Amino acid sequence: MAIGDHLRARAIHGEEDVTWIGLTLRVGPDPAWELSPLSSSLYDGVAGLALFFAWLGAATQRSDFTDVARRAAHRIRASMEGRGREELRSIGAFSGRSGGLYVFLEELPRDGIITLPGLKTKVREAWVVDGKRELRVRDTGIQAPGDLVDGPFTVVGIELEGPPEVVR
């Protein structure tokens, strides 16, 4: 809990989102370490902190941790919708061009189908990241889990059949 309090106290809050300043590697012809806002990656960015705070909020029942998780998820959504200034410059298992696709569900879709508007690439498989449930892939989307896991949101991992192609 002390780590959560420490990270929460150092967060930079926007109107609806949150981020942190961290040590990041600048890529390019002259690579160097620098202080900058965290990326939205799962490995060393805001997505990883969102999952940490979601778990911590659920484990401790502290709404301040859950609020930070929701604000971090908002930052990730904004970045994915193109309002963020992040570029996909890296390649890695948890970020960049080859990174995984994750959907954060705050509530279940009304029709029970998770849709990915604008994504042209077919979904190969999907699962709830709690490791217990695979989800059925349909032509119209992904069959949502029957219920949400404990915490502020349920995370669904998605593997695509190829590189992501989106409608512009």
Side-chain angles (χ1 to χ4, degrees):
M1 208 164 21
I3 293 172
D5 286 328
H6 177 83
L7 291 170
R8 184 181 50 78
R10 282 150 184 80
I12 299 167
H13 293 265
E15 287 184 29
E16 300 176 323
D17 63 353
V18 67
T19 193
W20 290 262
I21 299 293
L23 192 60
T24 58
L25 180 61
R26 181 181 38 159
V27 295
D30 188 25
W33 290 99
E34 61 187 8
L35 290 175
S36 64
L38 294 183
S39 72
S40 46
S41 83
L42 181 63
Y43 177 70
D44 62 353
V46 176
L49 286 166
L51 288 176
F52 169 73
F53 277 105
W55 172 84
L56 192 59
T60 64
Q61 298 298 304
R62 282 186 45 185
S63 62
D64 56 337
F65 290 148
T66 303
D67 181 60
V68 171
R70 288 187 199 284
R71 289 171 163 272
H74 188 276
R75 160 81 161 70
I76 296 161
R77 278 192 302 270
S79 184
M80 289 177 157
E81 291 170 356
R83 291 185 298 212
R85 294 175 23 205
E86 215 171 314
E87 295 178 33
L88 293 177
R89 298 178 295 184
S90 64
I91 297 176
F94 301 103
S95 66
R97 291 188 177 97
S98 64
L101 179 62
Y102 298 92
V103 174
F104 292 72
L105 296 176
E106 292 182 296
E107 57 187 41
L108 293 172
R110 291 177 199 217
D111 62 358
I113 302 295
I114 301 167
T115 58
L116 305 168
L119 182 67
K120 295 189 327 187
T121 310
K122 288 190 174 196
V123 173
R124 177 176 292 140
E125 65 179 312
W127 63 94
V128 177
V129 174
D130 68 1
K132 299 176 185 161
R133 294 180 277 177
E134 286 194 27
L135 301 175
R136 185 170 177 219
V137 177
R138 302 172 173 247
D139 290 334
T140 57
I142 300 162
Q143 182 67 48
D147 59 340
L148 298 176
V149 298
D150 291 336
F153 45 81
T154 297
V155 182
V156 174
I158 299 170
E159 182 179 335
L160 300 175
E161 289 187 359
E165 291 183 40
V166 294
V167 176
R168 296 206 182 250

